[in-house]
Amino acid sequence: MNLVQEMKARLARALTEAAASARAAGEIVYDQLPTFVLEVPREKHRGDFAANLAFLLAKEARMSPRQLAEIILRYLERPIPGVAKVEVAGPGFINFTLDGQWALPVLPAVLAEDEYYGWSDIGRGEKVQVEFVSANPTGLLHMGHARGAALGDTIANLLAATGFEVTREFYINDAGNQIENFALSLEARYLQALGIEAQVPEEGYHGYDLIDTVHRFIDQVGDKYLDADPALRREMLVRFALEEKLTAIRETLEDFGVYFDVWFSEQSLHDRGEVARTLNDLKERGYLYEKDGALWFKATLLGEEKDEVVVRQNGLPTYFAADIAYHRNKFERGFSRIINIWGADHHGHVARLKGAMAALGYDADRLEIVLMQLVRLFKGGELLRMSKRTGQYVTLEELLEEVGRDAARYFFVMIKPDSHLDFDLDLARSQTAENPVYYVQYAHARICSILRLARERGLEVPSPQEVDLRCLGHPAELELVKKIAELPETVIGAARGLEPHRLTRYAQELAALFHNFYTNCRVLADEENLRGARLILATATRITLRNVLRLLGVSAPERM
RNA sequence: GCGUCCGUAGCUCAGGCGGAUAGAGCAGCGGUUUCCUAAACCGCGUGUCGGGGGUUCGAGUCCCUCCGGGCGCACCA
């Protein structure tokens, strides 16, 4: 349990006992004590924690919250260690003001836990899978994939940091219609490259990257497939292109700091007969029927608006059919939580996929879908239009060249997934204070600089046992200590809600408090004990900042 | 039309399970450095939380409705 949790638990216990004493003394009545919360008031002057217990008791006790709060306060046993003041405030809040130094014990803990400070084990080793990006291997990665990559990877980091056993997975859509179109497009480019009139189909892939791919194919095999069986020709082209595209995707993602544990092929589901087996099971369970020569899934049986085709008239299964088989496969692999990061344009797919899982007898609540709204790129105040059709879009690779990995990752998770993201390229690439990434990284570099200077002067960071930390009494110091102590709960909250943007906010708050401390307090003070304590505080801040940045996949530079 | 997400300061956005007088950053204005990185710090905000209704001790937060915008509503994925 971390420091903040301990304090909350202590206060909650004290209040519970006070209420019980008051009831025993006949001053208040209640059947069962309602579950109340201890929250951090928005305004600092109201104290460190506020309890809403009196409001919740008011109805049953038939007394005003204010009165109740005063009675409970009378029965509250004091002193409570670490608490400086308790008072009734406003319409009936019980406010606790802590001893300003209550959080100091976090400092030795941070130094001891070092790269694991902020980590916890609330996941208890449960197996979680996070599937994200899963871009079609027919092209390059665009901004939607980039946001998904940053979000998915950070969520995976958060889950790992809170004690889950995480698998990162990329689903390769290497089967179906689009591969057919891909093949035809490649074939057209191949024939064109060999001087033969051919056209990329209307629904095909018009990007110029395919021309390059085909040229490399020709470098290897020449015109060998010019007169070959078109089916064989297309197969060879697809095999070559997929390999090349996937390699490019993997390399770009690695440049972005994203590494997958599993690359899962859709085609393999078909090859192993899992799609057929899944359809068969759905049929046995009465969820399939035939109409117009196609096979339909009875989504309406599960509250959906309309049924869905799973096998087309031409006998080929749809993407949906493969997706059902895929997600069943995930369940069969023993994950207790299955998390998908999807673009909002797929939201219509959520309910029917969950429905299909329920139809197969799985608990659909264990399948969690994080929907993220789409990304718009701005440059020079102008919206950059993107069109896959014409092959005109900014790729992740180009973005990384332009703004770098740190800014890109930070910007993509800075805003909650539900909101549209207006990505300002000029801001992200600017190396000024306007750019939040630099602000946070600068705080880290600044600390490193102090620690470097200390070393040069032969001043080592002392071990916390050798120093009396109670000399840290300046408000700037104590605010910084309190913020450091919040990290574990921030990480838990962000992991629980699958909300990485809480991390960037925390990072900015922490950096701001450090900068404030830096301006007000000289770390390398003359007095030895004070200097030691401040070196410890600076080190703890450095560790905390670095750990948050690590969760975000952003570097923590030692110099800037 | 149906579903879904969004609408909070000039701009970009936060606002755990409903809590007190709604907060940050940026932009703007004015200050701060003989001293550890000024990529910093400090000060300055009259917001119909899109409108209206409801639930309750209390609503930016929950429910209903309307308005505005994004995205879905294929035998595409």
Side-chain angles (χ1 to χ4, degrees):
Chain A
M1 210 196 266
N2 64 64
L3 203 59
V4 177
Q5 286 175 332
E6 269 173 37
M7 182 56 77
K8 279 191 181 176
R10 185 184 305 166
L11 300 180
R13 214 178 309 121
L15 284 172
T16 303
E17 284 164 12
S21 309
R23 181 170 69 166
E27 294 225 35
I28 59 175
V29 272
Y30 63 83
D31 181 31
Q32 203 161 20
L33 198 71
T35 44
F36 57 99
V37 294
L38 280 156
E39 55 175 24
V40 181
R42 272 203 275 254
E43 293 84 11
K44 275 196 194 92
H45 72 269
R46 298 190 192 284
D48 295 285
F49 294 104
N52 65 344
L53 177 60
F55 296 100
L56 306 175
L57 283 171
K59 193 170 235 170
E60 194 180 346
R62 307 173 68 92
M63 275 192 255
S64 78
R66 178 94 206 176
Q67 256 181 303
L68 277 164
E70 275 159 9
I71 293 169
I72 291 167
L73 197 60
R74 275 213 317 277
Y75 284 88
L76 195 66
E77 288 211 31
R78 276 166 285 181
I80 304 169
V83 176
K85 191 170 73 175
V86 193
E87 61 192 341
V88 175
F93 290 97
I94 302 172
N95 289 357
F96 295 88
T97 303
L98 302 185
D99 180 330
Q101 297 185 312
W102 73 275
L104 285 180
V106 79
L107 297 179
V110 175
L111 267 60
E113 293 170 30
D114 201 0
E115 67 254 51
Y116 294 111
Y117 174 62
W119 272 227
S120 60
D121 65 349
I122 59 167
R124 292 194 215 91
E126 254 181 60
K127 282 180 69 178
V128 186
Q129 187 215 44
V130 186
E131 182 219 320
F132 57 109
V133 187
S134 299
N136 285 336
T138 51
L140 300 168
L141 298 173
H142 55 66
M143 290 307 110
H145 300 130
R147 188 178 192 184
L151 264 176
D153 193 50
T154 307
I155 284 172
N157 287 343
L158 278 166
L159 291 169
T162 46
F164 290 90
E165 191 187 318
V166 180
T167 299
R168 292 168 167 80
E169 187 153 320
F170 186 115
Y171 182 53
I172 308 165
N173 303 125
D174 56 356
N177 242 348
Q178 46 158 3
I179 289 296
E180 220 34 53
N181 282 327
F182 189 51
L184 293 170
S185 309
L186 284 163
E187 184 176 44
R189 293 300 193 194
Y190 181 68
L191 296 176
Q192 285 170 358
L194 296 172
I196 291 174
E197 187 99 2
Q199 271 217 315
V200 176
E202 177 82 4
E203 295 295 311
Y205 295 85
H206 295 255
Y208 296 125
D209 53 306
L210 288 199
I211 298 177
D212 298 335
T213 297
V214 158
H215 278 299
R216 283 186 288 271
F217 181 70
I218 291 171
D219 287 345
Q220 267 193 19
V221 302
D223 62 0
K224 188 169 153 190
Y225 295 101
L226 190 54
D227 299 316
D229 172 15
L232 175 67
R233 176 166 65 208
R234 289 198 288 269
E235 193 192 324
M236 297 314 287
L237 275 161
V238 164
R239 191 179 298 177
F240 178 87
L242 278 186
E243 164 79 31
E244 190 183 275
K245 291 289 179 196
L246 275 173
T247 301
I249 286 172
R250 185 172 46 77
E251 285 172 356
T252 304
L253 287 168
E254 288 181 4
D255 287 343
F256 201 40
V258 177
Y259 298 83
F260 286 92
D261 303 301
V262 177
W263 295 76
F264 194 100
S265 154
E266 177 185 352
Q267 186 60 48
S268 75
L269 287 168
H270 295 281
D271 294 347
R272 285 193 302 270
E274 291 194 45
V275 178
R277 175 170 66 97
T278 300
L279 290 175
N280 204 49
D281 288 353
L282 284 173
K283 192 174 190 175
E284 278 178 12
R285 287 166 180 263
Y287 283 98
L288 298 187
Y289 66 93
E290 260 187 74
K291 195 182 86 181
D292 306 333
L295 203 56
W296 297 71
F297 172 65
K298 287 187 193 170
T300 44
L301 221 57
L302 299 147
E304 282 295 282
E305 273 178 35
K306 56 187 190 57
D307 293 339
E308 289 295 321
V309 170
V310 283
V311 178
R312 288 184 278 258
Q313 224 172 28
N314 62 13
L316 295 174
T318 59
Y319 168 87
F320 182 46
D323 224 20
I324 299 171
Y326 177 41
H327 285 83
R328 151 190 255 189
N329 176 288
K330 293 183 182 184
F331 275 106
E332 287 178 342
R333 275 187 275 163
F335 294 109
S336 59
R337 295 175 69 188
I338 294 164
I339 300 173
N340 291 353
I341 316 290
W342 284 356
D345 53 340
H346 287 69
H347 86 259
H349 191 55
V350 174
R352 57 177 182 261
L353 182 59
K354 287 192 171 203
M357 289 304 109
L360 285 169
Y362 295 104
D363 177 4
D365 289 337
R366 283 164 52 198
L367 172 61
E368 303 164 62
I369 317 272
V370 176
L371 289 176
M372 49 166 188
Q373 298 296 321
L374 304 178
V375 179
R376 297 191 300 179
L377 276 183
F378 284 83
K379 190 172 189 174
E382 301 239 333
L383 176 63
L384 295 182
R385 284 255 156 238
M386 284 172 255
S387 157
K388 207 168 188 177
R389 180 59 61 84
T390 60
Q392 299 221 328
Y393 55 99
V394 179
T395 65
L396 174 55
E397 223 173 337
E398 289 163 347
L399 181 77
L400 289 174
E401 267 168 44
E402 185 145 351
V403 310
R405 164 179 155 184
D406 288 343
R409 287 202 59 148
Y410 197 96
F411 273 57
F412 278 123
V413 299
M414 194 164 56
I415 289 166
K416 63 171 183 244
D418 281 343
S419 294
H420 293 265
L421 175 56
D422 287 342
F423 196 114
D424 184 339
L425 282 171
D426 302 314
L427 178 60
R429 73 194 299 194
S430 78
Q431 307 204 353
T432 67
E434 303 157 38
N435 190 336
V437 189
Y438 282 88
Y439 181 79
V440 174
Q441 289 183 317
Y442 178 59
H444 185 267
R446 221 178 188 188
I447 298 169
C448 290
S449 165
I450 299 169
L451 297 175
R452 226 172 10 245
L453 185 70
R455 254 197 315 278
E456 281 166 18
R457 294 186 186 169
L459 306 170
E460 289 301 317
V461 178
S463 115
Q465 290 80 33
E466 302 166 358
V467 175
D468 183 5
L469 292 170
R470 284 171 303 176
C471 65
L472 298 174
H474 191 285
E477 293 170 325
L478 297 177
E479 287 303 307
L480 180 56
V481 173
K482 277 197 263 182
K483 187 54 74 177
I484 290 171
E486 279 177 25
L487 179 68
E489 288 219 297
T490 299
V491 173
I492 288 168
R496 200 164 266 157
L498 307 178
E499 293 168 333
H501 69 276
R502 294 201 204 178
L503 290 178
T504 57
R505 289 205 89 75
Y506 176 83
Q508 280 166 88
E509 288 162 7
L510 182 62
L513 288 172
F514 173 76
H515 286 310
N516 182 262
F517 158 71
Y518 178 90
T519 339
N520 284 287
C521 305
R522 200 180 160 72
V523 176
L524 301 180
D526 293 332
E527 202 276 303
E528 191 184 344
N529 187 71
L530 183 62
R531 183 176 65 232
R534 285 181 176 165
L535 279 169
I536 288 168
L537 175 54
T539 302
T541 310
R542 195 202 89 231
I543 290 169
T544 307
L545 270 176
R546 184 203 59 201
N547 289 0
V548 175
L549 288 172
R550 180 151 52 94
L551 287 172
L552 290 167
V554 173
S555 71
E558 301 195 357
R559 291 172 202 274
M560 285 174 79

